[in-house]
Amino acid sequence: MSLTVLMNAGPWLSVPPPGYGGIENVIATLVPELRRLGVRVVLASVDSSTLPVDEKFSVFPDGQFHALQRPYNQVCGISQAHLNGVVRALHSRDDIDLVHDHVEAVGLATLAAMGPDAPPALHTLHWDLAKHPALYGNVDGGDRVRVNGVSASQLARAPRALREHSVGHVHLSTPLAVDADRRPRAEKGDYLIILGRINPGKGQDVGARLARRVGVPLVLAGPVGPYHRPEDLAAAGDEARQNPDVRFFYDEVAPHVDGDLVRWVGTVAGQERDDLLAGARASLFPLRWEEPGGTAVVESLALGTPVVATARGCLPELIEHGRTGLLTTDEEELGDLLLAAGLLDPDECRREAAVRFTPAVMAEKYVGLYERVRQLAAAP
Ligand code: UDP
């Protein structure tokens, strides 16, 4: 296939990400498979990205994740500087057949504003849009800019204008599903894990409280705001509390963290992350938001760890209750389900992931979407 795609990963983290990074993990999974299918990939990211691509360019030397807690206008300034680089690149060459953009509303708005000079674009939605309706406002890229979501539930909650421009949904996938070098070495241990940003939507406070109630050890892994290690957060002092996730951690989660039954280990990465996830009796997602895609959910299945979760967002699409996990709408019932998770079969989880959530499946679906977006843009 002769298709050149400009993959816009944004300025926040390198690709693959050093640890945490849902969007960047999706891109790192997708791109090698696209290239295997013959797609040329030009990556717009940061200089420190190491993902093999045909060409890359960047505005920033490394990921600007640490700046996300600065005032809103500064955060937008970083996004816009990166996107100006993308726009300059698109104006200076005519070999890009399609832009695949992952940079929230700003990316979509920028592509829409370029008008017919820009190649057709597919913008992948990564957020719960009902929660941020203003984010996408009235952005309308006409027939040239289309959107896709990462789950049916996410698209159903999207503003109408976006739904009218959508071309379908593709579930997130994971490198863990097929990469034989990254198979876990861990035996199953007697603990639960919540892998993800520490954030009210991810519900670590609920998980920590329930784990203590039923007496099962719980590991919380993930960054608190921009802080990856407990010692970095401690060293940041009171100023760190400006970040809402830091406040959430101190006020709602930390009171349950006793360092024994419930531990926060900070961000985990690479083999350490895979082993921790694979060794858990179950992964817990006590959600308070409509999880739009859930990379960590799929990674958990791929590593043979059943999922116990609130039945919200994409979870009912990803998890089959009673086979690959246990779902409930009742927060208190989650505690009982934690005890039952050991009865589920890890091999069923792996089998499910190996069929439904492989990088090859995701890449094929995206190539189909690219074709559709180009046809729609070319139609009179
Ligand atoms: N992650 C990680 N280390 C951590 C916490 C998270 O590598 O300590 C990764 C996780 O494996 C997943 C991604 O960060 O690939 C989070 O993506 P997800 O879609 O689950 O959550 P969100 O994008 O909402 O933060």
Side-chain angles (χ1 to χ4, degrees):
M1 174 187 314
S2 84
L3 188 70
T4 300
V5 172
L6 186 147
M7 186 74 61
N8 185 21
W12 304 114
L13 289 163
S14 49
V15 185
Y20 167 76
I23 295 170
E24 294 75 12
N25 267 332
V26 172
I27 295 170
T29 309
L30 175 63
V31 166
E33 292 296 326
L34 288 176
R35 295 181 76 216
R36 239 189 291 281
L37 294 173
V39 177
R40 281 192 81 242
V41 176
V42 178
L43 180 69
S45 174
V46 292
D47 213 25
S48 52
S49 287
T50 55
L51 183 73
V53 287
D54 296 284
E55 220 183 299
K56 69 173 188 176
F57 70 87
S58 53
V59 169
F60 294 95
D62 47 34
Q64 301 297 299
F65 188 73
H66 55 275
L68 277 174
Q69 74 160 352
R70 291 199 193 139
Y72 184 63
N73 60 342
Q74 288 184 29
V75 171
C76 288
I78 292 172
S79 274
Q80 206 56 64
H82 171 87
L83 283 160
N84 288 346
V86 172
V87 171
R88 272 197 303 277
L90 290 174
H91 277 313
S92 69
R93 53 197 292 174
D94 59 7
D95 63 326
I96 305 289
D97 298 306
L98 180 125
V99 179
H100 187 176
D101 176 57
H102 298 263
V103 186
E104 297 314 323
V106 208
L108 182 59
T110 305
L111 292 165
M114 281 191 77
D117 281 351
L122 175 67
H123 173 84
T124 297
L125 307 167
H126 288 281
W127 280 95
D128 170 25
L129 302 173
K131 210 170 159 216
H132 305 277
L135 200 65
Y136 279 81
N138 295 319
V139 175
D140 181 352
D143 285 336
R144 305 190 64 75
V145 184
R146 298 281 169 172
V147 299
N148 81 296
V150 290
S151 67
S153 82
Q154 179 205 34
L155 273 186
R157 288 163 56 82
R160 216 181 90 208
L162 280 186
R163 282 206 304 271
E164 281 166 4
H165 278 88
S166 78
V167 287
H169 67 273
V170 174
H171 286 300
L172 296 185
S173 188
T174 160
L176 309 176
V178 290
D179 188 345
D181 292 341
R182 291 184 60 190
R183 293 319 294 179
R185 292 182 303 229
E187 298 286 308
K188 281 286 176 213
D190 187 24
Y191 64 91
L192 308 167
I193 185 169
I194 302 182
L195 177 71
R197 285 175 287 132
I198 310 283
N199 173 273
K202 303 273 183 188
Q204 283 89 352
D205 55 328
V206 178
R209 183 172 58 73
L210 293 177
R212 289 187 58 158
R213 198 190 82 198
V214 299
V216 181
L218 172 67
V219 175
L220 304 175
V224 174
Y227 303 101
H228 291 287
R229 297 182 311 166
E231 52 271 38
D232 296 338
L233 179 62
D238 267 359
E239 211 172 288
R241 280 180 173 268
Q242 285 171 15
N243 182 295
D245 288 347
V246 172
R247 286 200 298 279
F248 166 70
F249 177 75
Y250 279 129
D251 296 345
E252 311 293 340
V253 183
H256 302 291
V257 175
D258 56 7
D260 183 18
L261 203 61
V262 179
R263 295 185 297 136
W264 173 49
V265 297
T267 299
V268 287
Q271 190 70 50
E272 185 196 0
R273 174 194 58 195
D274 295 358
D275 288 346
L276 199 62
L277 191 52
R281 181 196 285 183
S283 265
L284 183 56
F285 294 89
L287 301 173
R288 271 210 212 87
W289 79 327
E290 307 303 324
E291 183 75 42
T295 313
V297 177
V298 177
E299 287 167 347
S300 181
L301 295 184
L303 287 165
T305 299
V307 167
V308 176
T310 325
R312 295 188 72 157
C314 65
L315 268 293
E317 293 170 55
L318 302 180
I319 299 299
E320 190 183 321
H321 179 74
R323 190 165 72 88
T324 54
L326 297 169
L327 302 177
T328 175
T329 50
D330 178 346
E331 202 169 279
E332 290 312 307
E333 199 199 359
L334 264 184
D336 306 329
L337 297 185
L338 294 184
L339 294 172
L343 302 173
L344 296 167
D345 180 1
D347 286 338
E348 281 292 317
C349 301
R350 280 195 209 99
R351 269 197 287 276
E352 176 84 347
V355 173
R356 281 181 67 197
F357 303 118
T358 69
V361 167
M362 178 165 71
E364 273 163 32
K365 286 186 178 167
Y366 268 114
V367 166
L369 293 185
Y370 295 164
E371 289 302 320
R372 183 90 187 104
V373 170
R374 295 181 72 213
Q375 279 165 7
L376 289 168

